[in-house]
Amino acid sequence: MEAKVKVKEKYNWPVTILLILGLITVIFPLYLTVVIAFKQPTEMTNSVSGILSLPASWSLSNFREAMRVTDFWHSLFNSFLITGVTVILSVTLHSMIGYAVGRNKAKSKWYNFIYLYIVSGMFVPFAILMMPLVKETAKLGLANIAGVIICYVVFYMPMNLMLYAGYLTNIPLALEEAARVDGATTWRTYWTIIFPIMRPMHATVAVITALSVWNDVMTPLVIMSGSGLNTLPLAQLNFQTQFGTNYNLAFASYLLALLPILVFYVICQKQILNGVVNGAVK
């Protein structure tokens, strides 16, 4: 009989330790957010044990007060409107631009220049654009939600173009050639063949764009200032005053703002990994 050879399992301890530290880094702030959101201000002390301890009673009063202070439903609607329209426009416009540029940049210096020119926009800091944007949107009558959406569509074009152009390298040209032989136009080929195939990248672009737009404060702050309109991040600035911050209400509001985008991510997560991996191939 052949002797059974026992294979000794080896653990990569450095990687395991890093993963554990990473897990603690994520879980610890989330734990503090949940605990502080349910605590009353009187339970907050300067001691570490007072902050880390569980609430004496799990009450939703902080959440109700946070919703009142932030005018939650109106702010939530504005955030949904800005994020939803931005995502739809980004997926539609940026995928078309990515298709046009990505298919031609290898054989045309002009398209390659356009690609590099647009992608270089990722390296322009928002601080440089902030004051010109405020003046231009005011002059054009776009110091409102429409102006914010237009700015977002332009801001995220460089990253999304790079992702779409990279993803197109995984789609064989034979599919388009076969469609042309059958008499399909470029427009029809794109919408009936290419656009559905890029669904994983659509999900990736949608989540990345939605996360960035949903959590952004600066763009709505500088453009919609004085309009009386608030997004959730803008409304949460009400918890910060000259004399301090109401952490209990602020953390409760943060949890409320987290739930919609978390649900959106869970719905799209199956497509995201495939889209990121394939989009990185150039």
Coordinates of all heavy atoms in Angstrom, one line a residue, residues 80-126:
F80 N -30.7 62.1 -4.8 CA -31.1 61.0 -5.8 C -31.2 61.6 -7.2 O -30.7 60.9 -8.1 CB -32.5 60.5 -5.4 CG -32.4 59.2 -4.6 CD1 -33.1 59.1 -3.3 CD2 -31.7 58.1 -5.0 CE1 -33.0 58.0 -2.6 CE2 -31.6 57.0 -4.2 CZ -32.3 56.9 -3.0
L81 N -31.8 62.8 -7.3 CA -31.9 63.4 -8.6 C -30.5 63.7 -9.3 O -30.3 63.3 -10.4 CB -32.7 64.7 -8.5 CG -32.9 65.5 -9.8 CD1 -33.7 64.7 -10.8 CD2 -33.6 66.8 -9.5
I82 N -29.7 64.3 -8.5 CA -28.3 64.6 -9.1 C -27.5 63.3 -9.4 O -27.0 63.2 -10.5 CB -27.6 65.5 -8.1 CG1 -28.2 66.9 -8.0 CG2 -26.1 65.6 -8.5 CD1 -27.6 67.8 -6.9
T83 N -27.5 62.4 -8.4 CA -26.8 61.1 -8.7 C -27.4 60.3 -9.8 O -26.6 59.8 -10.7 CB -26.8 60.3 -7.4 OG1 -26.2 61.1 -6.3 CG2 -25.9 59.1 -7.5
G84 N -28.7 60.2 -9.8 CA -29.3 59.3 -10.9 C -29.1 59.9 -12.3 O -28.7 59.1 -13.2
V85 N -29.3 61.2 -12.4 CA -29.2 61.8 -13.8 C -27.7 61.8 -14.2 O -27.4 61.5 -15.3 CB -29.7 63.2 -13.8 CG1 -29.4 63.9 -15.1 CG2 -31.2 63.2 -13.5
T86 N -26.8 62.0 -13.2 CA -25.4 62.0 -13.6 C -24.9 60.6 -14.0 O -24.2 60.4 -15.0 CB -24.5 62.4 -12.4 OG1 -24.9 63.8 -12.0 CG2 -23.1 62.4 -12.7
V87 N -25.4 59.6 -13.3 CA -25.0 58.2 -13.7 C -25.6 57.8 -15.0 O -24.9 57.2 -15.9 CB -25.5 57.2 -12.6 CG1 -25.4 55.8 -13.1 CG2 -24.8 57.4 -11.3
I88 N -26.8 58.2 -15.3 CA -27.4 57.8 -16.6 C -26.7 58.5 -17.7 O -26.3 57.9 -18.8 CB -28.9 58.2 -16.6 CG1 -29.7 57.3 -15.7 CG2 -29.5 58.1 -18.0 CD1 -31.1 57.7 -15.5
L89 N -26.4 59.8 -17.6 CA -25.7 60.6 -18.6 C -24.3 60.1 -18.8 O -23.8 60.0 -19.9 CB -25.7 62.1 -18.3 CG -27.0 62.8 -18.4 CD1 -26.9 64.3 -17.9 CD2 -27.6 62.7 -19.8
S90 N -23.6 59.7 -17.7 CA -22.3 59.3 -17.7 C -22.2 57.9 -18.5 O -21.3 57.8 -19.3 CB -21.7 59.1 -16.3 OG -21.6 60.4 -15.7
V91 N -23.0 57.0 -18.1 CA -23.0 55.7 -18.8 C -23.3 55.8 -20.3 O -22.7 55.2 -21.1 CB -24.0 54.7 -18.1 CG1 -24.2 53.5 -18.9 CG2 -23.5 54.4 -16.7
T92 N -24.3 56.7 -20.6 CA -24.7 56.9 -22.0 C -23.6 57.6 -22.8 O -23.1 57.1 -23.8 CB -26.0 57.6 -22.1 OG1 -27.0 56.9 -21.3 CG2 -26.5 57.7 -23.5
L93 N -23.2 58.8 -22.4 CA -22.3 59.6 -23.1 C -20.9 59.1 -23.1 O -20.2 59.0 -24.1 CB -22.4 61.1 -22.6 CG -23.7 61.8 -22.7 CD1 -23.6 63.2 -22.1 CD2 -24.2 61.9 -24.2
H94 N -20.4 58.7 -21.9 CA -19.0 58.3 -21.8 C -18.8 57.0 -22.5 O -17.7 56.8 -23.0 CB -18.6 58.2 -20.3 CG -18.7 59.5 -19.6 ND1 -18.7 59.6 -18.2 CD2 -18.8 60.8 -20.1 CE1 -18.8 60.9 -17.9 NE2 -18.9 61.6 -19.0
S95 N -19.8 56.1 -22.5 CA -19.6 54.8 -23.2 C -19.5 55.1 -24.8 O -18.7 54.5 -25.5 CB -20.7 53.9 -22.9 OG -22.0 54.4 -23.4
M96 N -20.3 56.0 -25.3 CA -20.2 56.4 -26.7 C -18.9 57.0 -27.0 O -18.3 56.7 -28.1 CB -21.4 57.3 -27.1 CG -22.7 56.6 -27.1 SD -24.0 57.6 -27.9 CE -24.2 58.9 -26.7
I97 N -18.5 57.9 -26.2 CA -17.2 58.6 -26.4 C -16.0 57.5 -26.3 O -15.1 57.5 -27.1 CB -16.9 59.7 -25.4 CG1 -18.0 60.8 -25.6 CG2 -15.5 60.3 -25.6 CD1 -18.0 61.9 -24.6
G98 N -16.1 56.7 -25.3 CA -15.1 55.6 -25.2 C -15.1 54.7 -26.4 O -14.0 54.2 -26.8
Y99 N -16.3 54.4 -26.9 CA -16.3 53.5 -28.1 C -15.7 54.2 -29.3 O -14.8 53.6 -30.0 CB -17.7 53.1 -28.4 CG -17.9 52.4 -29.7 CD1 -17.5 51.1 -29.8 CD2 -18.6 52.9 -30.8 CE1 -17.6 50.4 -31.0 CE2 -18.8 52.2 -32.0 CZ -18.3 51.0 -32.1 OH -18.4 50.3 -33.2
A100 N -16.0 55.4 -29.5 CA -15.5 56.2 -30.7 C -14.0 56.4 -30.6 O -13.2 56.1 -31.6 CB -16.2 57.5 -30.8
V101 N -13.5 56.8 -29.4 CA -12.1 57.0 -29.2 C -11.3 55.7 -29.1 O -10.2 55.6 -29.7 CB -11.9 57.9 -28.0 CG1 -10.4 58.1 -27.7 CG2 -12.5 59.3 -28.2
G102 N -11.9 54.8 -28.3 CA -11.1 53.5 -28.1 C -10.9 52.7 -29.3 O -9.9 52.0 -29.5
R103 N -11.9 52.7 -30.3 CA -11.7 51.9 -31.5 C -10.8 52.6 -32.5 O -10.4 51.9 -33.5 CB -13.1 51.7 -32.1 CG -13.9 50.6 -31.5 CD -13.2 49.3 -31.7 NE -14.1 48.1 -31.4 CZ -13.7 47.1 -30.6 NH1 -12.5 47.2 -30.0 NH2 -14.5 46.1 -30.3
N104 N -10.6 53.9 -32.4 CA -9.8 54.6 -33.4 C -8.4 55.1 -32.9 O -7.6 55.5 -33.8 CB -10.6 55.8 -33.9 CG -11.8 55.3 -34.7 OD1 -11.8 54.8 -35.8 ND2 -13.0 55.5 -34.0
K105 N -8.2 55.1 -31.6 CA -7.0 55.8 -31.1 C -5.7 55.0 -31.5 O -4.6 55.6 -31.6 CB -7.0 56.0 -29.6 CG -6.9 54.7 -28.8 CD -7.1 55.0 -27.3 CE -7.0 53.8 -26.4 NZ -5.7 53.2 -26.4
A106 N -5.8 53.7 -31.8 CA -4.6 52.9 -32.2 C -4.2 53.2 -33.6 O -3.0 53.0 -34.0 CB -4.9 51.4 -32.0
K107 N -5.2 53.6 -34.4 CA -4.9 53.8 -35.9 C -5.0 55.3 -36.3 O -4.8 55.5 -37.5 CB -5.8 52.9 -36.7 CG -7.3 53.2 -36.4 CD -8.2 52.2 -37.2 CE -9.6 52.4 -36.9 NZ -10.5 51.5 -37.6
S108 N -5.2 56.1 -35.4 CA -5.4 57.6 -35.8 C -4.7 58.4 -34.7 O -5.0 58.3 -33.5 CB -6.8 58.0 -35.9 OG -7.0 59.3 -36.1
K109 N -3.7 59.2 -35.1 CA -3.1 60.1 -34.2 C -4.0 61.2 -33.6 O -3.9 61.6 -32.4 CB -1.9 60.8 -34.8 CG -0.8 59.9 -35.2 CD 0.4 60.7 -35.9 CE 1.5 59.7 -36.2 NZ 2.7 60.5 -36.9
W110 N -5.0 61.6 -34.4 CA -6.0 62.5 -33.9 C -6.8 62.0 -32.8 O -7.0 62.7 -31.7 CB -6.9 63.0 -35.1 CG -8.0 63.8 -34.7 CD1 -9.3 63.5 -34.8 CD2 -8.0 65.1 -34.1 NE1 -10.1 64.5 -34.3 CE2 -9.3 65.6 -33.9 CE3 -6.9 66.0 -33.7 CZ2 -9.6 66.8 -33.3 CZ3 -7.3 67.2 -33.2 CH2 -8.6 67.6 -33.0
Y111 N -7.3 60.8 -32.9 CA -8.1 60.1 -31.8 C -7.2 59.8 -30.6 O -7.7 59.9 -29.5 CB -8.8 58.9 -32.3 CG -10.1 59.1 -33.1 CD1 -10.1 59.1 -34.5 CD2 -11.2 59.3 -32.4 CE1 -11.3 59.3 -35.2 CE2 -12.4 59.5 -33.1 CZ -12.4 59.6 -34.5 OH -13.6 59.8 -35.1
N112 N -6.0 59.5 -30.8 CA -5.1 59.2 -29.7 C -4.8 60.5 -29.0 O -4.7 60.5 -27.7 CB -3.7 58.7 -30.3 CG -2.8 58.2 -29.1 OD1 -3.3 57.4 -28.3 ND2 -1.6 58.6 -29.1
F113 N -4.7 61.6 -29.7 CA -4.5 62.9 -29.0 C -5.8 63.3 -28.2 O -5.7 63.8 -27.1 CB -4.3 64.0 -30.1 CG -4.3 65.4 -29.5 CD1 -3.3 65.9 -28.8 CD2 -5.4 66.2 -29.7 CE1 -3.3 67.2 -28.2 CE2 -5.5 67.5 -29.1 CZ -4.4 68.0 -28.4
I114 N -6.9 63.0 -28.7 CA -8.2 63.3 -28.0 C -8.2 62.5 -26.7 O -8.6 62.9 -25.7 CB -9.4 63.0 -28.9 CG1 -9.5 64.0 -30.1 CG2 -10.7 63.1 -28.1 CD1 -10.6 63.7 -31.1
Y115 N -7.9 61.2 -26.9 CA -7.9 60.3 -25.7 C -6.9 60.8 -24.6 O -7.3 60.9 -23.4 CB -7.4 58.9 -26.1 CG -7.2 57.9 -25.0 CD1 -8.3 57.3 -24.4 CD2 -6.0 57.6 -24.5 CE1 -8.2 56.4 -23.3 CE2 -5.8 56.7 -23.5 CZ -6.9 56.1 -22.9 OH -6.7 55.3 -21.9
L116 N -5.7 61.2 -25.0 CA -4.7 61.7 -24.0 C -5.2 63.0 -23.4 O -5.0 63.3 -22.2 CB -3.4 61.8 -24.6 CG -2.7 60.5 -25.1 CD1 -1.4 60.7 -25.8 CD2 -2.5 59.5 -23.9
Y117 N -5.8 63.8 -24.3 CA -6.2 65.2 -23.8 C -7.3 65.0 -22.7 O -7.3 65.7 -21.7 CB -6.7 66.0 -25.0 CG -7.3 67.3 -24.6 CD1 -6.4 68.4 -24.3 CD2 -8.6 67.6 -24.6 CE1 -6.9 69.6 -24.0 CE2 -9.1 68.8 -24.2 CZ -8.2 69.8 -23.9 OH -8.7 71.1 -23.6
I118 N -8.3 64.2 -23.0 CA -9.4 64.0 -22.1 C -8.9 63.3 -20.8 O -9.3 63.8 -19.7 CB -10.5 63.2 -22.7 CG1 -11.1 64.0 -23.9 CG2 -11.6 62.9 -21.7 CD1 -12.2 63.2 -24.6
V119 N -8.1 62.3 -20.9 CA -7.6 61.5 -19.8 C -6.8 62.4 -18.9 O -6.7 62.3 -17.6 CB -6.9 60.3 -20.2 CG1 -6.2 59.6 -19.0 CG2 -7.9 59.3 -20.8
S120 N -6.0 63.3 -19.5 CA -5.2 64.2 -18.7 C -6.0 65.1 -17.8 O -5.5 65.7 -16.8 CB -4.3 65.1 -19.6 OG -5.2 66.0 -20.4
G121 N -7.3 65.2 -18.0 CA -8.2 66.0 -17.1 C -8.2 65.4 -15.7 O -8.6 66.1 -14.7
M122 N -7.8 64.2 -15.5 CA -7.8 63.6 -14.2 C -6.8 64.3 -13.3 O -6.9 64.2 -12.0 CB -7.5 62.1 -14.2 CG -8.6 61.3 -14.8 SD -8.3 59.5 -14.6 CE -6.9 59.3 -15.6
F123 N -5.8 64.9 -13.9 CA -4.7 65.5 -13.1 C -4.9 67.0 -12.8 O -4.0 67.6 -12.2 CB -3.4 65.3 -13.8 CG -3.1 63.9 -14.2 CD1 -3.3 63.4 -15.5 CD2 -2.7 63.0 -13.3 CE1 -3.0 62.1 -15.9 CE2 -2.4 61.6 -13.6 CZ -2.6 61.2 -14.9
V124 N -6.1 67.5 -13.1 CA -6.4 68.9 -12.8 C -7.1 69.0 -11.5 O -8.2 68.4 -11.4 CB -7.2 69.5 -14.0 CG1 -7.5 71.0 -13.6 CG2 -6.5 69.4 -15.3
P125 N -6.5 69.6 -10.5 CA -7.2 69.7 -9.2 C -8.5 70.5 -9.3 O -8.5 71.5 -10.0 CB -6.1 70.4 -8.3 CG -4.9 70.3 -9.0 CD -5.2 70.2 -10.5
F126 N -9.4 70.2 -8.4 CA -10.7 70.9 -8.4 C -10.5 72.3 -7.9 O -11.2 73.2 -8.3 CB -11.7 70.2 -7.6 CG -13.0 70.9 -7.5 CD1 -13.9 70.8 -8.5 CD2 -13.4 71.6 -6.3 CE1 -15.2 71.5 -8.4 CE2 -14.6 72.2 -6.2 CZ -15.5 72.2 -7.3

